[in-house]
Amino acid sequence: MESEGTAVTTISGGAAPEGAVDERSAAVAVRAMFNSIAPRYDLLNHLLSWNIDRLWWWRMARLFRRVLADPNAAVLDVCCGTGDMTMALLKRRPARSRPVLAVDFAREMLSLGARKFARPSAKHGGAVALETDALHLPLRDTSLDLITTAFGFRNLANYRAGLAEFHRVLKPGGQMGILDFSEPDGLFGKIYQVYFRRVLPALGRFFCGKDGPYNYLPSSVSKFPPPEEMLEMMREAGFVEVRWTPYTFGVAGVFTGVRGKS
């Protein structure tokens, strides 16, 4: 679960902590926030999601099982944080396959992920951790077969720039998956909002010892484009076969798309 600040503003169509005046200051604030909560990040995520987050990672990895089964596929996990999505991808990689590239710009988060990648159980080709910005990937054009990101895209300072960068590095026909939170509708949605906007921030504050981080989560989700708007942004960026698949009554879901051939 992503966090920072007590509210968010929109800068160039992206989420940013309160007080950020441009994309640069937004990125600096988000990086500092994630570095500050890194030690308790995994514990709080599993606790506050009732461990359902593990199911969400597994489901998204399963969506891309065919490309992951190719040992030569070039796979990138963006905004990998502490590496749980990366680990879900690795479980579907054959032995001695090409390593997954896992990137994040928050060093403390990435260092925790790198420790997971180094465990004996993390075989199947392994993963390489790289500290870099998702909006400025140090990768060649049309070099990747698959890009995934779990609960990180929402925190980019510019969503359109993020989609453009993903499109740039994907091969024609390459696939993309963006897993993130959403706001469910109906009676369940109303009940969930009470937990999401009141109970969750209080629990996060109690366990994390910080007032701001888990107040940011519901604010950032409310600012994130709704599915239809996000799908249209993906089309405008050059993706085809775009789709939104809700998970757990719409609490979260995955956007998928394919880079067009042209």
Side-chain angles (χ1 to χ4, degrees):
M1 312 222 173
E2 324 312 292
S3 356
E4 224 282 358
T6 56
V8 294
T9 57
T10 300
I11 298 176
S12 298
E18 183 178 355
V21 296
D22 53 26
E23 292 179 18
R24 181 181 177 83
S25 61
V28 169
V30 169
R31 180 189 292 115
M33 180 263 309
F34 281 114
N35 281 329
S36 73
I37 64 173
R40 291 180 176 266
Y41 183 83
D42 283 349
L43 172 64
L44 285 171
N45 271 9
H46 303 327
L47 175 67
L48 298 178
S49 71
W50 307 313
N51 258 339
I52 299 176
D53 54 344
R54 300 179 190 271
L55 174 63
W56 295 336
W57 299 321
W58 178 82
R59 288 187 66 180
M60 183 156 84
R62 185 179 63 174
L63 283 177
F64 301 109
R65 56 189 178 276
R66 290 185 180 178
V67 65
L68 292 170
D70 178 358
N72 296 313
V75 179
L76 169 68
D77 188 29
V78 184
C79 306
C80 70
T82 59
D84 285 326
M85 185 68 241
T86 309
M87 296 296 290
L89 299 175
L90 288 178
K91 290 177 181 178
R92 293 189 174 271
R93 299 289 281 159
R96 296 182 295 279
S97 32
R98 185 174 182 172
V100 171
L101 182 60
V103 306
D104 202 289
F105 74 168
R107 180 172 298 181
E108 296 302 319
M109 298 282 285
L110 189 62
S111 65
L112 293 174
R115 294 177 196 172
K116 295 177 184 178
F117 308 153
R119 293 173 185 170
S121 59
K123 36 191 178 184
H124 309 298
V128 175
L130 176 65
E131 183 180 348
T132 194
D133 188 344
L135 298 181
H136 305 281
L137 297 169
L139 300 172
R140 299 190 311 274
D141 293 357
T142 63
S143 59
L144 299 175
D145 297 287
L146 172 65
I147 292 178
T148 64
T149 179
F151 307 110
F153 189 89
R154 187 186 71 257
N155 297 300
L156 297 184
N158 188 320
Y159 301 141
R160 293 183 187 275
L163 290 172
E165 184 68 349
F166 294 178
H167 185 273
R168 178 186 71 82
V169 297
L170 275 173
K171 299 175 182 177
Q175 300 179 62
M176 175 183 70
I178 299 173
L179 173 62
D180 223 311
F181 289 107
S182 184
E183 295 188 310
D185 298 322
L187 177 60
F188 175 79
K190 293 179 180 179
I191 296 172
Y192 180 74
Q193 286 301 323
V194 174
Y195 170 76
F196 197 55
R197 296 185 178 278
R198 299 187 180 183
V199 179
L200 184 147
L203 290 173
R205 182 168 56 250
F206 177 79
F207 287 102
C208 188
K210 297 179 183 293
D211 187 58
Y214 284 83
N215 288 327
Y216 169 85
L217 176 57
S219 298
S220 66
V221 172
S222 68
K223 295 288 185 180
F224 193 61
E228 284 306 316
E229 183 179 337
M230 182 66 178
L231 292 173
E232 183 56 31
M233 289 172 59
M234 291 167 65
R235 294 187 190 99
E236 292 174 358
F239 290 94
V240 297
E241 301 177 35
V242 298
R243 183 178 179 183
W244 157 254
T245 303
Y247 291 167
T248 316
F249 307 106
V251 170
V254 61
F255 295 94
T256 55
V258 177
R259 174 175 168 162
K261 299 291 185 179
S262 61

